Amino acid sequence: MEDGGVDTLPAGRFLDRELSWLDYAGRILDLAEDGSLPAAERIRYLVLLSDGLDEFFEVRVAGLEEQLASGLRPAAADGWGVTRLLGEIAIRVGELARRQSEVYALVAGGDGPVVRWAACTAAEQERLSGTFRRRIFPVLTPLVVDAGHPFPYISNLSLNLLVVVRDPAAGTRRLARIKVPPVLDRLLHLPERDGLVPLEDVIAAHLDALFPGMAVDACYRFRVTRNADLSVEEYEERDVLAAVQSELKRRRLGRVVRLEVEDGTPDELLAELVDAMEVPVRSVVRVGGLLDLTALAPLAPPPPPPAPGAGPFGDGDPFATLAAGEVLVHHPYDAYAASVGRFLAAAADDPDVLAVKQIVYRTSGDDPVADTLAAAARSGKQVTAVVEITALFDEQANIERARTLDRVGAHVSYGILGRKTHAKATLVVRQEDGTSRRYCHVGTGNYNPATALVTEDVGILSADPALTSDVAKLFNYLTGQGAPADFERLVVAPVGLRRRLLDEIAREEAAGRSGRIVVKVSGITDPEVIDALYRASRAGARVDVIVRSWCCIRPGVPGLSEHVRVRSVVGPVLEHSRIFRFGDGGRARTLVGSADLMERNLDRRVEAVVEVTDPAAVARLDGILGVLLDDAVSAWELEPGGRWARVGTPGVTVQDRLRSPAPAHSPAAVATSRVPAAPARGPATSPPGAP
């Protein structure tokens, strides 16, 4: 095989993106099945999986169904056709549902905290009946289906009861639907045994009160997932699909893409439900146990955050600290409140601060970030907020944030038309000694104090004139929408990030066996970047990819990717940072930022990546990557055929290794480890075939 362009690379060199996400779901389930973990932690993984599958169907499966319905779809680089892919997704989701139900029975059902109605004592049932009469019954609305009453609209992600009722006098049979009210607690407390009874069980036990004079023959639970009305950008707009996207959304808005039914639902009833929902049979998922395990969230508190420390600023002035040197922060190991939160609060409170500019993508429910910006505006500071109102599932909340900020006098911008603003950046302008000095933060995660406790991210806090000037140019690009400026330390998508990454990879390809590439991302799906990594591997460069979920690259294939290793770390802290490291030793170049190696991030979103130049910060990032690549750490590695194998030492987690009693920005923590050399690789047993 000759070296060269994409045309010389073999077919079947990409894994499918959607199936790779389901592999990630399987890794989450591996942890839920781990009997060595506490029950609460295993339940937390069940909740995470259930929530992730909901979004997977709302977003990814919905997009595939629209492609299929349109009859117009782009050729897939991985070789999967849409119909075949949807069939494979159905098989894998069914297996995930089976495994998930088994884990649920072990850790939550049975002898666990969730008690079904039939297992309640007579006294418990009597108390719950009182609760039903007082609080539940007044909220319920039974809807019968007959010739004059068509099957009612079923809202997205709602839990419902399908009831079969019969008129004893006439002998006629009818179906009825009862929506389990989302305004009520899904799990009702049993104080005697500290147990929880599902709300739907209590409703099902009192159907006679809802259908007086009728005989109730059967009752089954069901739940639907609908197309979440995503933006065009979220559907991976390509070629002719983009031309029909708007029309498809208008005609088929809210189509059902998944129907979950209680295991044991008779086939004839299921057929009626499938017909009423107009859902393909492949989209039916039978579930044992409880439907919608996100209800178990109260049983799975988040992992404890690291012990609070003084943070990078100690008791001093954040601006004085940054004037003396750049700071790298690593959440949750560096407390958000003592680092980024402290910086933002200082910007709002300091009378010498003239202006604050921030990109608002996702924040928390109580939204202290918006409150901080509003306080700064009310104090007379010039506040600019670039609010991304199309952030998936945060659209309405971000619209409200924008209105709030606008009312207090902030300048609100919605970014660049057709380009979702995904960059994470803040700029502060402060008056010092008769002149203006700028300070900035550029990071990989959202300004969200709540998720910063359980989501891993890195960020740079800096007063470096080159970087702060770049961040100022970024905001001017977003609000003024002029031609993108030249940047010095910042690399911005879609104007230059793809080219920079490809150039860096090509440089390591040219270095041959001395070449070294390490990337840590949430997803890697971009064909051009993957092919560039393949070429670097064929030239002898060592490539390590640390990926959380979406992964289309195949490692370890003879003649293609012998020198590529792919690892995934899944644990109590969600790995979210994006780190790119090219070269070794003194010639290494390290970048961090908001972008994954995916087409949407490189071409259709505004992303910001910063080159890290401070030696201490670079050393600390090396240490983080070193822990992630440590063979002793519990992780998964991707095999050439696409299977993920669990590796490392059980119980030895990245999170435990990175939780250090020393402040994470101290020299003691910086020197913990270095990026190891990739291990020597033997020949693969057989090259993977095309999917």
Side-chain angles (χ1 to χ4, degrees):
M1 184 184 302
E2 296 179 357
D3 290 337
V6 174
D7 291 342
T8 66
L9 297 176
R13 62 190 183 277
F14 302 119
L15 298 172
D16 180 78
R17 168 180 169 154
E18 321 306 345
L19 299 182
S20 75
W21 190 92
L22 292 176
D23 287 339
Y24 165 60
R27 297 194 290 280
I28 296 173
L29 199 45
D30 286 347
L31 293 171
E33 292 170 334
D34 189 341
S36 68
L37 298 177
E41 188 168 344
R42 298 173 70 184
I43 290 172
R44 190 186 309 122
Y45 291 123
L46 291 179
V47 172
L48 178 63
L49 174 60
S50 186
D51 186 60
L53 281 170
D54 285 349
E55 184 172 333
F56 176 74
F57 274 89
E58 289 175 301
V59 179
R60 305 308 311 172
V61 174
L64 291 172
E65 291 285 3
E66 286 200 356
Q67 290 181 31
L68 186 63
S70 73
L72 300 170
R73 60 182 184 269
D78 50 49
W80 286 86
V82 175
T83 301
R84 182 178 169 220
L85 180 56
L86 285 168
E88 181 67 18
I89 287 172
I91 293 171
R92 297 197 187 188
V93 168
E95 176 61 14
L96 288 172
R98 182 193 64 77
R99 293 172 58 194
Q100 190 177 28
S101 297
E102 290 177 355
V103 179
Y104 163 79
L106 289 172
V107 300
D111 296 329
V114 178
V115 183
R116 305 311 293 263
W117 174 266
C120 292
T121 66
E124 289 169 338
Q125 290 184 352
E126 179 60 30
R127 185 182 302 103
L128 290 168
S129 293
T131 301
F132 175 81
R133 290 189 296 271
R134 292 190 309 272
R135 296 183 52 229
I136 303 172
F137 177 75
V139 183
L140 300 177
T141 304
L143 295 174
V144 173
V145 180
D146 57 23
H149 301 86
F151 205 94
Y153 175 83
I154 308 297
S155 55
N156 185 37
L157 301 183
S158 64
L159 181 62
N160 305 269
L161 302 181
L162 181 66
V163 186
V164 182
V165 296
R166 179 172 38 84
D167 184 336
T172 55
R173 165 192 172 277
R174 294 178 182 175
L175 294 181
R177 172 258 187 162
I178 301 172
K179 181 177 181 178
V180 177
V183 294
L184 301 177
D185 292 337
R186 173 76 186 282
L187 299 174
L188 306 179
H189 189 225
L190 292 176
E192 297 89 348
R193 64 171 96 184
D194 198 25
L196 297 163
V197 178
L199 175 60
E200 61 269 26
D201 279 18
V202 178
I203 297 172
H206 296 85
L207 292 175
D208 56 338
L210 291 160
F211 302 98
M214 303 289 284
V216 177
D217 288 345
C219 174
Y220 301 96
R221 287 81 169 158
F222 73 96
R223 182 173 183 256
V224 302
T225 309
R226 292 183 178 272
N227 182 327
D229 189 20
L230 306 178
S231 67
V232 172
E233 187 270 342
E234 282 296 325
Y235 275 108
E236 295 288 318
E237 178 187 358
R238 296 190 190 108
D239 301 329
V240 294
L241 179 61
V244 299
Q245 187 74 19
S246 178
E247 178 66 14
L248 278 174
K249 286 169 67 67
R250 186 184 68 80
R251 294 204 322 261
R252 302 184 179 276
L253 179 64
R255 78 158 57 215
V256 176
V257 293
R258 179 179 56 168
L259 172 61
E260 296 172 279
V261 297
E262 179 181 355
D263 205 10
T265 303
D267 290 342
E268 60 273 18
L269 274 184
L270 179 58
E272 291 186 62
L273 199 55
V274 165
D275 184 61
M277 295 294 98
E278 298 182 339
V279 60
V281 175
R282 64 170 176 269
S283 299
V284 175
V285 182
R286 289 186 176 270
V287 179
L290 209 64
L291 271 67
D292 182 17
L293 296 187
T294 61
L296 302 179
L299 300 174
F313 307 125
D315 296 328
D317 175 16
F319 300 115
T321 301
L322 296 180
E326 208 157 79
V327 170
L328 174 80
V329 291
H330 188 206
H331 310 306
Y333 312 102
D334 294 333
Y336 179 91
S339 55
V340 176
R342 176 87 181 280
F343 171 69
L344 297 178
D349 295 340
D350 191 326
D352 290 328
V353 168
L354 304 175
V356 180
K357 301 183 181 185
Q358 186 177 79
I359 297 169
V360 178
Y361 189 74
R362 295 190 199 279
T363 60
S364 56
D366 56 0
D367 208 354
V369 173
D371 291 344
T372 299
L373 291 175
R378 281 192 293 264
S379 69
K381 295 175 172 60
Q382 184 94 345
V383 173
T384 301
V386 179
V387 182
E388 182 46 72
I389 58 172
T390 65
L392 187 60
F393 303 125
D394 271 351
E395 297 91 341
Q396 187 58 45
N398 280 2
I399 290 171
E400 292 302 319
R401 290 183 181 101
R403 289 172 176 167
T404 298
L405 292 169
D406 188 59
R407 283 194 292 266
V408 297
H411 299 290
V412 177
S413 169
Y414 300 116
I416 297 173
L417 184 65
R419 296 279 186 262
K420 181 172 287 190
T421 304
H422 190 249
K424 324 296 182 185
T426 297
L427 182 70
V428 174
V429 183
R430 188 170 186 262
Q431 183 174 277
E432 298 178 5
D433 300 324
T435 187
S436 296
R437 182 164 190 175
R438 293 182 289 208
Y439 299 82
C440 72
H441 169 263
V442 179
T444 68
N446 302 308
Y447 294 105
N448 189 324
T451 58
L453 297 173
V454 293
T455 302
E456 180 269 346
D457 275 299
V458 299
I460 294 289
L461 289 157
S462 179
D464 172 45
L467 180 55
T468 57
S469 175
D470 281 352
V471 175
K473 293 174 185 176
L474 172 64
F475 277 100
N476 289 341
Y477 171 47
L478 291 171
T479 60
Q481 301 194 15
D486 291 331
F487 298 97
E488 186 173 341
R489 285 186 60 188
L490 211 58
V491 192
V492 175
V495 296
L497 181 57
R498 175 183 289 278
R499 186 70 268 153
R500 171 66 182 270
L501 293 173
L502 292 174
D503 287 347
E504 292 285 3
I505 295 170
R507 189 177 291 114
E508 298 310 303
E509 177 189 357
R513 294 185 178 275
S514 298
R516 184 76 173 106
I517 300 169
V518 182
V519 298
K520 178 184 183 294
V521 288
S522 295
I524 175 169
T525 65
D526 185 80
E528 188 177 16
V529 170
I530 293 173
D531 280 335
L533 292 173
Y534 285 152
R535 288 192 292 271
S537 171
R538 292 163 70 191
R542 295 169 295 134
V543 179
D544 273 297
V545 176
I546 305 160
V547 63
R548 187 181 81 236
S549 53
W550 299 289
C551 181
C552 296
I553 189 170
R554 288 184 185 267
V557 179
L560 179 70
S561 57
E562 290 105 321
H563 302 293
V564 176
R565 174 173 61 171
V566 178
R567 286 169 68 85
S568 182
V569 172
V570 183
V573 173
L574 184 75
E575 295 293 327
H576 188 256
S577 68
R578 287 85 168 187
I579 306 172
F580 309 93
R581 186 183 186 277
F582 303 97
D584 249 342
R587 67 181 189 87
R589 300 163 306 285
T590 304
L591 302 93
V592 301
S594 61
D596 282 312
L597 296 179
M598 303 169 72
E599 299 94 316
R600 68 182 188 189
N601 300 91
L602 300 179
D603 299 331
R604 298 191 302 280
R605 289 187 173 186
V606 177
E607 307 277 4
V609 171
V610 58
E611 182 168 356
V612 183
T613 56
D614 178 75
V618 171
R620 187 174 181 198
L621 290 168
D622 280 355
I624 294 167
L625 294 175
V627 172
L628 289 161
L629 294 174
D630 189 337
D631 288 335
V633 165
S634 179
W636 286 257
E637 289 201 359
L638 183 59
E639 298 176 344
R643 174 181 173 272
W644 289 90
R646 201 163 181 181
V647 297
T649 306
V652 178
T653 69
V654 166
Q655 291 76 32
D656 289 338
R657 286 285 183 90
L658 291 174
R659 290 176 190 267
S660 169
H665 56 279
S666 71
V670 167
T672 51
S673 61
R674 297 289 176 177
V675 181
R681 311 185 192 285
T685 53
S686 60

